[in-house]
Amino acid sequence: MRLSFRCSIPLLVLLLAALGLRGAERATPANWSAVDEESMRHFQALLRFDTSDPPGNEKPAVDYLQQVLQAEGIETRIFAKLAHRPNLVARLRGNGSKRPLLLMAHTDVVNVDPKKWKHPPFSATREGGYVYGRGTVDDKDNVAVALMTMLLLKRSNVPLDRDVIFLAEAGEEGAVQYGIQFMVEEHFSEIDAEFCLAEGGSVVRTGGKVQYGSVQTTEKIPNRIRLVARGVAGHGSVPLRSNAVVHLARAIANIADWQTPMRLNETTRAFFERLATISPPEEAARYRAVLRGDESGAAQEYFAEHAPRLHSTLRTSISPNMISGGYRVNVIPSETEATLDVRALPDEDMPKFIEQLRQVINDPAIEIVRAPGHSRPGAPPSRLNTEAFEVLEAAIKRHYGVITLPTMSTGATDMAFLRQKGIESFGIGPMIDSEDGPKGFGAHSDQERILEEALHKFVRFHWDVVLELAARKN
Ligand SMILES: [Zn+2]
């Protein structure tokens, strides 16, 4: 019995090879419920490390990841500009016939106000089908899922056409000099890849029904611009036309009234095209108006009022968010200042844009200063006609039964650094209920949570995508 069983294994392999079954189909874990249990264990362990940034003490989370990976015999390396803010790189080797696939996720989280949380923010409490904690959807979900994919790949010994690299990076939430910027500038060969999968997408459910998957393929570029108004100082009892407060206020009002030019790129064009196909007629008509370009005024106005994110998606946007000036009521100040948060389209020509801004302000008393700050580099959108996007799109269809919308995020992610280096990068994520953010449970919110079911589905989806992209094809 035993002998014949042994003999049958090579026979089975031959049979499978003859049937042309690929690695992907052979390697599916036999016991998904054990995988679910393990995913949850690692996820909760990661959530329980307080990696709030600032100060961003990512080391305990990285030590945990390293120990789990090494226990399975996966090679890891640590790169740290600051000892307590390390980045971890793990690599599974392929035969080199394709360039590597990078799985990137950040281990730091934004700060919390513990008083606002029902469950302590680093408790990873499970309740009612959810896991609560800072980082549950930004970005320890991606950390845990990438970890699981690495473990499953190693255990199932799948032959790979390309290296699969896992980068658990520090500092995404505002300290990129210790994380992605450091890795790109000083250790790029460790993470260089053809494709990257990271945060920034999701599978959106509304009213309990899955609507679409979103894959982030590009993002806007943050710019900080200061307006400095200068006038003559004087006694408040004698008003002056040159009052710097008045000039600054007028400049801001002009900017607020300025509808910056609308422009689509490959991503946003496909986004509106596809969104129109799954929207009620009235909404679809607005998306199609935007695609046609002409007669889009009413649609744009509607977005400005009711869908500000879509409005921002169409243009380089300006939000005046800081203003200062004056120090006592009876003194006309000689200088006042405002800071604008400008989110540029990926292909924006900033010097030209600032020239337009100057014309809109139309006031020689206002100086426009491009302020340095934590910024991310601009790069063209990742392309849709790539193997990676097509695999993601097909997997979203298979796992969730819905269409994929490529998206340009209005906020910034660390993929900007990778796109600038030529890595085609795609933001993915778990299923989320669109009602959850407005209820205050989203990323960066006063509470944060994920559906347990969403985590488990994300693990299966991720595994499937990585196998499709990396497992040996013949
Ligand atoms: Zn994030």
Side-chain angles (χ1 to χ4, degrees):
M1 192 63 194
R2 179 176 280 181
L3 189 67
S4 71
F5 179 69
R6 272 187 192 159
C7 290
S8 72
I9 290 175
L11 206 64
L12 187 66
V13 171
L14 274 176
L15 196 67
L16 289 170
L19 287 168
L21 290 179
R22 291 164 305 153
E25 281 146 318
R26 283 200 307 268
T28 300
N31 188 350
W32 274 114
S33 64
V35 172
D36 289 347
E37 185 277 322
E38 186 182 3
S39 310
M40 184 58 73
R41 183 158 45 83
H42 293 315
F43 184 52
Q44 285 185 297
L46 289 163
L47 289 168
R48 286 174 180 145
F49 298 113
D50 178 354
T51 53
S52 299
D53 182 7
N57 180 28
E58 292 94 343
K59 190 170 187 301
V62 166
D63 287 346
Y64 178 86
L65 291 170
Q66 186 174 35
Q67 164 246 310
V68 171
L69 289 158
Q70 281 180 347
E72 304 271 341
I74 298 173
E75 61 176 291
T76 61
R77 295 189 69 185
I78 301 292
F79 302 93
K81 193 167 180 174
L82 283 182
H84 65 289
R85 309 207 62 176
N87 302 277
L88 173 141
V89 175
R91 184 182 288 261
L92 290 167
R93 294 189 185 274
N95 62 21
S97 61
K98 294 179 180 171
R99 294 180 53 223
L101 169 64
L102 174 65
L103 313 176
M104 177 168 80
H106 62 90
T107 50
D108 62 329
V109 295
V110 285
N111 297 98
V112 292
D113 178 355
K115 292 191 298 294
K116 305 253 170 75
W117 291 67
K118 181 182 168 200
H119 305 292
F122 301 101
S123 65
T125 303
R126 292 170 69 177
E127 188 188 82
Y130 290 93
V131 184
Y132 289 80
R134 175 58 89 222
T136 46
V137 288
D138 183 13
D139 185 32
K140 287 176 176 171
D141 51 337
N142 268 296
V143 178
V145 166
L147 171 67
M148 284 309 297
T149 295
M150 296 297 283
L151 298 178
L152 295 175
L153 280 175
K154 174 73 179 175
R155 284 173 203 161
S156 52
N157 222 355
V158 184
L160 300 172
D161 275 341
R162 53 171 113 228
D163 289 7
V164 177
I165 307 166
F166 173 29
L167 167 62
E169 44 144 8
E172 195 274 344
E173 304 284 3
V176 292
Q177 67 273 29
Y178 306 121
I180 193 63
Q181 191 178 355
F182 167 67
M183 290 306 295
V184 164
E185 286 173 2
E186 297 186 34
H187 302 286
F188 186 63
S189 63
E190 295 288 335
I191 57 169
D192 190 10
E194 180 176 12
F195 300 123
C196 168
L197 303 178
E199 66 178 332
S202 65
V203 175
V204 176
R205 202 168 75 160
T206 300
K209 189 171 180 295
V210 180
Q211 307 291 321
Y212 59 84
S214 76
V215 172
Q216 196 253 48
T217 53
T218 186
E219 59 190 56
K220 295 177 85 178
I221 321 288
N223 283 268
R224 195 182 297 197
I225 293 179
R226 281 167 55 227
L227 304 181
V228 184
R230 292 194 182 86
V232 178
H235 197 288
S237 64
V238 184
L240 296 174
R241 290 257 160 99
S242 64
N243 187 320
V245 173
V246 174
H247 281 261
L248 187 65
R250 223 176 255 141
I252 292 171
N254 286 348
I255 290 167
D257 288 341
W258 180 33
Q259 169 100 308
T260 56
M262 176 191 125
R263 193 162 68 247
L264 295 167
N265 55 41
E266 189 198 18
T267 293
T268 53
R269 181 167 292 282
F271 171 79
F272 282 106
E273 278 168 5
R274 294 176 186 201
L275 189 57
T277 67
I278 55 166
S279 299
E282 205 178 328
E283 283 175 34
R286 279 193 287 270
Y287 305 144
R288 296 203 173 101
V290 161
L291 288 162
R292 282 195 308 273
D294 54 343
E295 298 165 29
S296 67
Q300 291 195 55
E301 182 53 31
Y302 181 91
F303 295 156
E305 195 67 37
H306 304 284
R309 189 179 299 277
L310 294 184
H311 192 255
S312 176
T313 292
L314 292 170
R315 55 182 29 85
T316 293
S317 64
I318 309 175
S319 186
N321 295 345
M322 290 161 74
I323 186 162
S324 67
Y327 56 96
R328 57 180 292 170
V329 70
N330 61 358
V331 174
I332 299 172
S334 57
E335 196 171 304
T336 58
E337 191 177 310
T339 307
L340 312 176
D341 185 359
V342 175
R343 300 297 173 125
L345 289 172
D347 64 348
E348 190 62 81
D349 178 342
M350 278 311 287
K352 214 171 124 196
F353 184 81
I354 287 173
E355 213 29 65
Q356 287 175 296
L357 184 64
R358 197 181 308 284
Q359 286 166 23
V360 166
I361 293 172
N362 191 27
D363 183 348
I366 307 280
E367 188 194 355
I368 302 175
V369 185
R370 227 177 140 178
H374 292 302
S375 192
R376 288 174 166 91
S382 296
R383 288 175 298 116
L384 307 187
N385 63 341
T386 52
E387 186 188 1
F389 186 81
E390 283 162 12
V391 162
L392 286 167
E393 201 176 5
I396 286 172
K397 185 94 210 162
R398 231 174 14 257
H399 287 255
Y400 299 98
V402 290
I403 192 172
T404 296
L405 307 181
T407 57
M408 175 177 73
S409 55
T410 52
T413 76
D414 280 353
M415 283 184 284
F417 286 92
L418 301 178
R419 290 198 179 106
Q420 189 205 26
K421 297 289 278 184
I423 301 178
E424 300 276 349
S425 303
F426 300 93
I428 57 173
M431 183 173 75
I432 51 156
D433 285 318
S434 62
E435 297 88 353
D436 230 32
K439 280 188 210 157
F441 293 111
H444 295 218
S445 203
D446 272 341
Q447 297 194 69
E448 193 176 332
R449 70 182 183 186
I450 189 172
L451 280 161
E452 294 190 7
E453 177 198 358
L455 178 77
H456 299 319
K457 283 179 86 83
F458 192 24
V459 172
R460 287 161 171 75
F461 167 81
H462 197 268
W463 161 252
D464 198 12
V465 165
V466 172
L467 273 192
E468 277 291 319
L469 285 173
R472 200 168 73 206
K473 284 284 160 71
N474 45 45

